[in-house]
Amino acid sequence: MSGDPLVPTSEPWPGMGEARRLIANARSVFVLTGAGISAESGVPTFRDALTGLWAQFDPEELASEEAYRRQPALVWEWYLHRRELVAEARPNPAHYALVALAAQKPVTLVTQNVDGLHQRAGSQHVIELHGNLFANKWLNGCGRCDEATALPGNPPRCNLCGALMRPGVVWFGEDLPRVARFRAEHAAESADLCLVVGTSGLVYPAAGLPGLAREHGAPVIVVNPQPSVLDQTADVVLQAAAGACLPLLWPQSAG
Ligand code: BV8
Ligand code: ZN
C-alpha cells in the first residue's frame, strides 16, 4: 500500500497509516456499516433528530410491531416518507470505496441499513441484517395475501383476510433474518480484519459483531466522526466522515 500513487501518504486523521497497513495486509475483511455511512448521501441517521412532522417521534418508538398495530396509518406514512427520502438519495464515495475494496480482496459486507445504497453503488451479496425499506410483507397474513386495497392515507390490506401490509424491515423486538444473522456471524468469526463504519453500536445483536470478530483474532478499525461505544474495543479509531475517509484507506481502482 505504501508508495501507491493512488493513496496519498499524508495522515489527515491519526491512525490512517495503521489502518492502511491493516487493510493492505488483510486476506479477508468483515465490514459492518450503520446509518452513518449514508449520512453523506443525505439520509438522516437513525438517531439524528427527525425533522418536520416526524421531529416529535422517537424512531425506536415507531419502528416496532406494537407501534404499527397501534397507529398503522402514522407508521406507514413514516415509512413512505423515508422511501421518498432514500429514493432521492445517491450512494456516496464511502459506498463506492467498499465496492473498490471488494474488487481487491474478499469482503463480507454486513449492513444495519435498510436504504439499499450499498447495492445501488454496486456491492454484491450485501447482508441486510435489518431488512430493506422497499420490501413489503404481511402482518399475520392468511398465506394467500396478494391483492390489496389501500384506503387513502392507510396501509394496504389484503383483500382476502384484511391483513395489513407492512415494510420488510426488522422492527425492535423482532428477530433478525436467521440466514443473514448466521452468515454475518460466520463472516465475523472467520475474517482477519473487521472494519466498522458509521454506527453508534447501540443496536444488538448487530453491535456485537465487531466484538465477535475481535474474539476470533481480527483487529477492529472504527470509522466515525463521533466517539462511539465501539471505540473501547477498537484497535484503530478514525474520527472521520466515511465519505471523506474510506477512499483514502485503499486504492480506488483495481490493479
Ligand atoms: C432483537 C430497521 C430479539 C427498522 C432497525 C427491549 C425489547 C426488545 C428488544 C430489546 C429491548 N432492549 C434491547 C433490545 C434489543 C434491541 C436493541 O438492541 N435495542 C437497543 C436500542 C438497546 N434489538 C432488537 O430489538 C433487535 N432484535 O433483539 O430480537 C429476539 C430474539 C428472538 C426472538 C424475538 C426477538 C432488532 C433490532 C433491529 C431494529 N431495526 N432498523 C427501521 O429502520 O425502521 S435498527 C436501526 O438502528 C437502523 O437499522 C440503524 O442502522 C440501526 C443502528 O443504528 P446506527 O446504524 O448505528 O445508526 P445511529 O443513528 O444510531 O448512529 C449513526 C452513527 O453514524 C453515529 O455514531 C454517527 O456518529 C455516525 N455518523 C454520522 N455521520 C457519519 C457517521 N459515520 C461515518 N460517516 C459519517 N458521515
Ligand atoms: Zn391475506
Side-chain angles (χ1 to χ4, degrees):
M1 180 77 74
S2 59
D4 181 317
L6 290 173
V7 181
T9 52
S10 67
E11 277 233 348
W13 297 277
M16 286 279 280
E18 175 63 356
R20 283 180 182 140
R21 190 185 62 74
L22 288 170
I23 293 163
N25 295 337
R27 285 184 312 282
S28 64
V29 187
F30 172 83
V31 181
L32 174 69
T33 64
I37 199 168
S38 298
E40 289 152 278
S41 296
V43 179
T45 69
F46 207 70
R47 280 163 197 80
D48 267 346
L50 290 181
T51 54
L53 161 69
W54 307 107
Q56 58 192 300
F57 299 103
D58 170 0
E60 280 169 40
E61 290 302 305
L62 292 175
S64 73
E65 180 178 328
E66 187 274 327
Y68 193 51
R69 286 185 179 284
R70 188 164 28 86
Q71 299 177 292
L74 176 84
V75 175
W76 183 251
E77 200 51 41
W78 181 50
Y79 279 95
L80 295 182
H81 165 70
R82 289 171 65 194
R83 287 177 177 175
E84 281 167 25
L85 270 183
V86 170
E88 295 287 307
R90 295 286 169 270
N92 68 63
H95 295 105
Y96 290 112
L98 290 174
V99 177
L101 182 62
Q104 298 164 35
K105 59 184 69 188
V107 168
T108 303
L109 177 52
V110 176
T111 189
Q112 301 172 87
N113 300 341
V114 296
D115 57 30
L117 288 178
H118 284 301
Q119 294 92 318
R120 283 170 54 191
S123 288
Q124 311 278 320
H125 317 302
V126 178
I127 299 176
E128 294 181 309
L129 285 182
H130 296 160
N132 189 290
L133 191 58
F134 297 97
N136 284 317
K137 58 186 193 179
W138 299 97
L139 191 57
N140 303 334
C142 58
R144 290 180 297 128
C145 298
D146 186 14
E147 296 296 313
T149 309
L151 297 175
N154 281 279
R157 284 182 179 273
C158 167
N159 291 344
L160 293 176
C161 68
L164 279 170
M165 184 180 278
R166 57 159 285 183
V169 297
V170 178
W171 277 330
F172 286 99
E174 291 185 330
D175 203 4
L176 272 53
R178 223 169 287 285
V179 171
R181 183 172 180 177
F182 173 79
R183 287 176 56 212
E185 288 169 350
H186 176 71
E189 290 166 352
S190 38
D192 57 15
L193 177 65
C194 174
L195 174 63
V196 185
V197 186
T199 182
S200 60
L202 296 175
V203 175
Y204 281 84
L209 291 168
L212 185 64
R214 198 160 204 265
E215 278 164 26
H216 286 75
V220 176
I221 300 170
V222 165
V223 178
N224 190 328
Q226 302 296 328
S228 82
V229 292
L230 297 174
D231 296 357
Q232 297 147 30
T233 53
D235 298 83
V236 180
V237 177
L238 300 176
Q239 291 226 331
C245 175
L246 291 199
L248 302 178
L249 291 178
W250 55 83
Q252 292 306 295
S253 64

PDB file of all heavy atoms in Angstrom, residues 161-183:
ATOM      1  N   CYS A 161     -58.096 -11.354   3.562  1.00  0.00           N
ATOM      2  CA  CYS A 161     -58.184 -11.541   5.031  1.00  0.00           C
ATOM      3  C   CYS A 161     -58.059 -10.232   5.792  1.00  0.00           C
ATOM      4  O   CYS A 161     -58.145 -10.209   7.019  1.00  0.00           O
ATOM      5  CB  CYS A 161     -57.071 -12.496   5.489  1.00  0.00           C
ATOM      6  SG  CYS A 161     -55.419 -11.780   5.321  1.00  0.00           S
ATOM      7  N   GLY A 162     -57.793  -9.135   5.065  1.00  0.00           N
ATOM      8  CA  GLY A 162     -57.719  -7.833   5.746  1.00  0.00           C
ATOM      9  C   GLY A 162     -56.405  -7.582   6.467  1.00  0.00           C
ATOM     10  O   GLY A 162     -56.247  -6.574   7.152  1.00  0.00           O
ATOM     11  N   ALA A 163     -55.435  -8.529   6.308  1.00  0.00           N
ATOM     12  CA  ALA A 163     -54.135  -8.322   6.993  1.00  0.00           C
ATOM     13  C   ALA A 163     -53.473  -7.048   6.475  1.00  0.00           C
ATOM     14  O   ALA A 163     -53.600  -6.688   5.296  1.00  0.00           O
ATOM     15  CB  ALA A 163     -53.216  -9.521   6.741  1.00  0.00           C
ATOM     16  N   LEU A 164     -52.752  -6.394   7.361  1.00  0.00           N
ATOM     17  CA  LEU A 164     -52.034  -5.167   6.999  1.00  0.00           C
ATOM     18  C   LEU A 164     -50.750  -5.511   6.244  1.00  0.00           C
ATOM     19  O   LEU A 164     -50.015  -6.420   6.651  1.00  0.00           O
ATOM     20  CB  LEU A 164     -51.622  -4.408   8.274  1.00  0.00           C
ATOM     21  CG  LEU A 164     -52.663  -3.532   8.971  1.00  0.00           C
ATOM     22  CD1 LEU A 164     -52.136  -3.086  10.334  1.00  0.00           C
ATOM     23  CD2 LEU A 164     -53.023  -2.324   8.108  1.00  0.00           C
ATOM     24  N   MET A 165     -50.497  -4.813   5.155  1.00  0.00           N
ATOM     25  CA  MET A 165     -49.170  -4.881   4.548  1.00  0.00           C
ATOM     26  C   MET A 165     -48.220  -4.120   5.492  1.00  0.00           C
ATOM     27  O   MET A 165     -48.643  -3.162   6.142  1.00  0.00           O
ATOM     28  CB  MET A 165     -49.186  -4.210   3.171  1.00  0.00           C
ATOM     29  CG  MET A 165     -47.879  -4.314   2.424  1.00  0.00           C
ATOM     30  SD  MET A 165     -47.987  -3.480   0.811  1.00  0.00           S
ATOM     31  CE  MET A 165     -48.789  -4.775  -0.143  1.00  0.00           C
ATOM     32  N   ARG A 166     -46.976  -4.567   5.577  1.00  0.00           N
ATOM     33  CA  ARG A 166     -46.013  -3.886   6.461  1.00  0.00           C
ATOM     34  C   ARG A 166     -44.675  -3.808   5.741  1.00  0.00           C
ATOM     35  O   ARG A 166     -44.395  -4.604   4.837  1.00  0.00           O
ATOM     36  CB  ARG A 166     -45.854  -4.612   7.787  1.00  0.00           C
ATOM     37  CG  ARG A 166     -45.436  -6.065   7.673  1.00  0.00           C
ATOM     38  CD  ARG A 166     -44.808  -6.608   8.928  1.00  0.00           C
ATOM     39  NE  ARG A 166     -43.426  -6.096   9.093  1.00  0.00           N
ATOM     40  CZ  ARG A 166     -42.622  -6.456  10.087  1.00  0.00           C
ATOM     41  NH1 ARG A 166     -43.066  -7.285  11.009  1.00  0.00           N
ATOM     42  NH2 ARG A 166     -41.392  -5.987  10.194  1.00  0.00           N
ATOM     43  N   PRO A 167     -43.798  -2.852   6.135  1.00  0.00           N
ATOM     44  CA  PRO A 167     -42.490  -2.776   5.493  1.00  0.00           C
ATOM     45  C   PRO A 167     -41.626  -3.989   5.852  1.00  0.00           C
ATOM     46  O   PRO A 167     -41.728  -4.511   6.970  1.00  0.00           O
ATOM     47  CB  PRO A 167     -41.875  -1.494   6.058  1.00  0.00           C
ATOM     48  CG  PRO A 167     -42.681  -1.118   7.234  1.00  0.00           C
ATOM     49  CD  PRO A 167     -44.003  -1.772   7.131  1.00  0.00           C
ATOM     50  N   GLY A 168     -40.813  -4.430   4.905  1.00  0.00           N
ATOM     51  CA  GLY A 168     -39.983  -5.626   5.104  1.00  0.00           C
ATOM     52  C   GLY A 168     -38.706  -5.311   5.863  1.00  0.00           C
ATOM     53  O   GLY A 168     -37.599  -5.685   5.454  1.00  0.00           O
ATOM     54  N   VAL A 169     -38.850  -4.597   6.977  1.00  0.00           N
ATOM     55  CA  VAL A 169     -37.693  -4.290   7.832  1.00  0.00           C
ATOM     56  C   VAL A 169     -37.815  -5.087   9.129  1.00  0.00           C
ATOM     57  O   VAL A 169     -38.892  -5.590   9.450  1.00  0.00           O
ATOM     58  CB  VAL A 169     -37.597  -2.780   8.159  1.00  0.00           C
ATOM     59  CG1 VAL A 169     -37.374  -1.969   6.894  1.00  0.00           C
ATOM     60  CG2 VAL A 169     -38.825  -2.302   8.935  1.00  0.00           C
ATOM     61  N   VAL A 170     -36.719  -5.174   9.889  1.00  0.00           N
ATOM     62  CA  VAL A 170     -36.754  -5.846  11.188  1.00  0.00           C
ATOM     63  C   VAL A 170     -37.073  -4.790  12.235  1.00  0.00           C
ATOM     64  O   VAL A 170     -36.304  -3.834  12.407  1.00  0.00           O
ATOM     65  CB  VAL A 170     -35.393  -6.508  11.500  1.00  0.00           C
ATOM     66  CG1 VAL A 170     -35.424  -7.165  12.878  1.00  0.00           C
ATOM     67  CG2 VAL A 170     -35.041  -7.534  10.423  1.00  0.00           C
ATOM     68  N   TRP A 171     -38.158  -4.944  12.937  1.00  0.00           N
ATOM     69  CA  TRP A 171     -38.526  -3.977  13.962  1.00  0.00           C
ATOM     70  C   TRP A 171     -37.881  -4.338  15.295  1.00  0.00           C
ATOM     71  O   TRP A 171     -37.410  -5.465  15.481  1.00  0.00           O
ATOM     72  CB  TRP A 171     -40.054  -3.960  14.104  1.00  0.00           C
ATOM     73  CG  TRP A 171     -40.716  -3.075  13.074  1.00  0.00           C
ATOM     74  CD1 TRP A 171     -40.206  -1.957  12.480  1.00  0.00           C
ATOM     75  CD2 TRP A 171     -42.024  -3.239  12.513  1.00  0.00           C
ATOM     76  NE1 TRP A 171     -41.108  -1.412  11.595  1.00  0.00           N
ATOM     77  CE2 TRP A 171     -42.238  -2.168  11.611  1.00  0.00           C
ATOM     78  CE3 TRP A 171     -43.054  -4.167  12.706  1.00  0.00           C
ATOM     79  CZ2 TRP A 171     -43.432  -2.015  10.900  1.00  0.00           C
ATOM     80  CZ3 TRP A 171     -44.256  -4.011  11.996  1.00  0.00           C
ATOM     81  CH2 TRP A 171     -44.425  -2.939  11.102  1.00  0.00           C
ATOM     82  N   PHE A 172     -37.828  -3.374  16.205  1.00  0.00           N
ATOM     83  CA  PHE A 172     -37.297  -3.664  17.543  1.00  0.00           C
ATOM     84  C   PHE A 172     -38.171  -4.747  18.180  1.00  0.00           C
ATOM     85  O   PHE A 172     -39.402  -4.716  18.052  1.00  0.00           O
ATOM     86  CB  PHE A 172     -37.276  -2.387  18.390  1.00  0.00           C
ATOM     87  CG  PHE A 172     -36.172  -1.452  17.967  1.00  0.00           C
ATOM     88  CD1 PHE A 172     -36.433  -0.381  17.139  1.00  0.00           C
ATOM     89  CD2 PHE A 172     -34.857  -1.691  18.349  1.00  0.00           C
ATOM     90  CE1 PHE A 172     -35.411   0.458  16.707  1.00  0.00           C
ATOM     91  CE2 PHE A 172     -33.831  -0.854  17.935  1.00  0.00           C
ATOM     92  CZ  PHE A 172     -34.114   0.213  17.110  1.00  0.00           C
ATOM     93  N   GLY A 173     -37.494  -5.701  18.775  1.00  0.00           N
ATOM     94  CA  GLY A 173     -38.213  -6.814  19.403  1.00  0.00           C
ATOM     95  C   GLY A 173     -38.418  -7.972  18.451  1.00  0.00           C
ATOM     96  O   GLY A 173     -38.913  -9.027  18.842  1.00  0.00           O
ATOM     97  N   GLU A 174     -38.021  -7.797  17.182  1.00  0.00           N
ATOM     98  CA  GLU A 174     -38.139  -8.895  16.216  1.00  0.00           C
ATOM     99  C   GLU A 174     -36.765  -9.535  15.983  1.00  0.00           C
ATOM    100  O   GLU A 174     -35.748  -8.843  16.009  1.00  0.00           O
ATOM    101  CB  GLU A 174     -38.673  -8.368  14.872  1.00  0.00           C
ATOM    102  CG  GLU A 174     -40.122  -7.928  14.949  1.00  0.00           C
ATOM    103  CD  GLU A 174     -40.692  -7.508  13.595  1.00  0.00           C
ATOM    104  OE1 GLU A 174     -39.918  -7.009  12.727  1.00  0.00           O
ATOM    105  OE2 GLU A 174     -41.910  -7.659  13.410  1.00  0.00           O
ATOM    106  N   ASP A 175     -36.770 -10.810  15.737  1.00  0.00           N
ATOM    107  CA  ASP A 175     -35.511 -11.498  15.496  1.00  0.00           C
ATOM    108  C   ASP A 175     -34.985 -11.136  14.113  1.00  0.00           C
ATOM    109  O   ASP A 175     -35.754 -10.812  13.218  1.00  0.00           O
ATOM    110  CB  ASP A 175     -35.748 -13.017  15.571  1.00  0.00           C
ATOM    111  CG  ASP A 175     -34.447 -13.747  15.891  1.00  0.00           C
ATOM    112  OD1 ASP A 175     -33.430 -13.034  16.115  1.00  0.00           O
ATOM    113  OD2 ASP A 175     -34.436 -14.971  15.907  1.00  0.00           O
ATOM    114  N   LEU A 176     -33.679 -11.163  13.983  1.00  0.00           N
ATOM    115  CA  LEU A 176     -33.083 -10.885  12.670  1.00  0.00           C
ATOM    116  C   LEU A 176     -33.313 -12.080  11.749  1.00  0.00           C
ATOM    117  O   LEU A 176     -33.514 -13.201  12.230  1.00  0.00           O
ATOM    118  CB  LEU A 176     -31.575 -10.659  12.826  1.00  0.00           C
ATOM    119  CG  LEU A 176     -31.115  -9.217  13.126  1.00  0.00           C
ATOM    120  CD1 LEU A 176     -31.842  -8.645  14.328  1.00  0.00           C
ATOM    121  CD2 LEU A 176     -29.624  -9.138  13.308  1.00  0.00           C
ATOM    122  N   PRO A 177     -33.304 -11.838  10.429  1.00  0.00           N
ATOM    123  CA  PRO A 177     -33.440 -12.969   9.498  1.00  0.00           C
ATOM    124  C   PRO A 177     -32.360 -14.003   9.818  1.00  0.00           C
ATOM    125  O   PRO A 177     -31.183 -13.662   9.895  1.00  0.00           O
ATOM    126  CB  PRO A 177     -33.218 -12.337   8.122  1.00  0.00           C
ATOM    127  CG  PRO A 177     -33.414 -10.871   8.302  1.00  0.00           C
ATOM    128  CD  PRO A 177     -33.071 -10.565   9.733  1.00  0.00           C
ATOM    129  N   ARG A 178     -32.784 -15.245  10.014  1.00  0.00           N
ATOM    130  CA  ARG A 178     -31.883 -16.280  10.521  1.00  0.00           C
ATOM    131  C   ARG A 178     -30.647 -16.471   9.628  1.00  0.00           C
ATOM    132  O   ARG A 178     -29.513 -16.481  10.104  1.00  0.00           O
ATOM    133  CB  ARG A 178     -32.663 -17.603  10.643  1.00  0.00           C
ATOM    134  CG  ARG A 178     -32.396 -18.381  11.918  1.00  0.00           C
ATOM    135  CD  ARG A 178     -33.390 -19.520  12.099  1.00  0.00           C
ATOM    136  NE  ARG A 178     -34.725 -19.053  12.471  1.00  0.00           N
ATOM    137  CZ  ARG A 178     -35.010 -18.615  13.695  1.00  0.00           C
ATOM    138  NH1 ARG A 178     -34.085 -18.568  14.597  1.00  0.00           N
ATOM    139  NH2 ARG A 178     -36.229 -18.220  14.000  1.00  0.00           N
ATOM    140  N   VAL A 179     -30.883 -16.567   8.320  1.00  0.00           N
ATOM    141  CA  VAL A 179     -29.746 -16.824   7.416  1.00  0.00           C
ATOM    142  C   VAL A 179     -28.786 -15.635   7.423  1.00  0.00           C
ATOM    143  O   VAL A 179     -27.571 -15.800   7.536  1.00  0.00           O
ATOM    144  CB  VAL A 179     -30.248 -17.091   5.971  1.00  0.00           C
ATOM    145  CG1 VAL A 179     -29.074 -17.144   4.989  1.00  0.00           C
ATOM    146  CG2 VAL A 179     -31.045 -18.390   5.932  1.00  0.00           C
ATOM    147  N   ALA A 180     -29.331 -14.432   7.385  1.00  0.00           N
ATOM    148  CA  ALA A 180     -28.473 -13.228   7.374  1.00  0.00           C
ATOM    149  C   ALA A 180     -27.640 -13.185   8.643  1.00  0.00           C
ATOM    150  O   ALA A 180     -26.426 -12.936   8.619  1.00  0.00           O
ATOM    151  CB  ALA A 180     -29.335 -11.975   7.261  1.00  0.00           C
ATOM    152  N   ARG A 181     -28.274 -13.485   9.762  1.00  0.00           N
ATOM    153  CA  ARG A 181     -27.547 -13.433  11.043  1.00  0.00           C
ATOM    154  C   ARG A 181     -26.452 -14.496  11.076  1.00  0.00           C
ATOM    155  O   ARG A 181     -25.312 -14.212  11.460  1.00  0.00           O
ATOM    156  CB  ARG A 181     -28.542 -13.631  12.190  1.00  0.00           C
ATOM    157  CG  ARG A 181     -27.876 -13.514  13.548  1.00  0.00           C
ATOM    158  CD  ARG A 181     -28.875 -13.509  14.677  1.00  0.00           C
ATOM    159  NE  ARG A 181     -28.167 -13.388  15.954  1.00  0.00           N
ATOM    160  CZ  ARG A 181     -28.775 -13.297  17.125  1.00  0.00           C
ATOM    161  NH1 ARG A 181     -30.104 -13.307  17.204  1.00  0.00           N
ATOM    162  NH2 ARG A 181     -28.082 -13.192  18.229  1.00  0.00           N
ATOM    163  N   PHE A 182     -26.788 -15.683  10.605  1.00  0.00           N
ATOM    164  CA  PHE A 182     -25.791 -16.777  10.623  1.00  0.00           C
ATOM    165  C   PHE A 182     -24.607 -16.408   9.731  1.00  0.00           C
ATOM    166  O   PHE A 182     -23.446 -16.515  10.125  1.00  0.00           O
ATOM    167  CB  PHE A 182     -26.428 -18.092  10.152  1.00  0.00           C
ATOM    168  CG  PHE A 182     -25.428 -19.203   9.997  1.00  0.00           C
ATOM    169  CD1 PHE A 182     -24.951 -19.911  11.108  1.00  0.00           C
ATOM    170  CD2 PHE A 182     -24.880 -19.488   8.730  1.00  0.00           C
ATOM    171  CE1 PHE A 182     -23.988 -20.891  10.968  1.00  0.00           C
ATOM    172  CE2 PHE A 182     -23.899 -20.474   8.582  1.00  0.00           C
ATOM    173  CZ  PHE A 182     -23.457 -21.177   9.704  1.00  0.00           C
ATOM    174  N   ARG A 183     -24.898 -15.914   8.528  1.00  0.00           N
ATOM    175  CA  ARG A 183     -23.813 -15.571   7.594  1.00  0.00           C
ATOM    176  C   ARG A 183     -22.955 -14.439   8.157  1.00  0.00           C
ATOM    177  O   ARG A 183     -21.724 -14.432   8.028  1.00  0.00           O
ATOM    178  CB  ARG A 183     -24.401 -15.185   6.227  1.00  0.00           C
ATOM    179  CG  ARG A 183     -24.942 -16.383   5.445  1.00  0.00           C
ATOM    180  CD  ARG A 183     -25.595 -15.940   4.139  1.00  0.00           C
ATOM    181  NE  ARG A 183     -24.663 -15.166   3.336  1.00  0.00           N
ATOM    182  CZ  ARG A 183     -25.049 -14.170   2.523  1.00  0.00           C
ATOM    183  NH1 ARG A 183     -26.334 -13.844   2.440  1.00  0.00           N
ATOM    184  NH2 ARG A 183     -24.175 -13.505   1.819  1.00  0.00           N
TER     185      ARG A 183
END
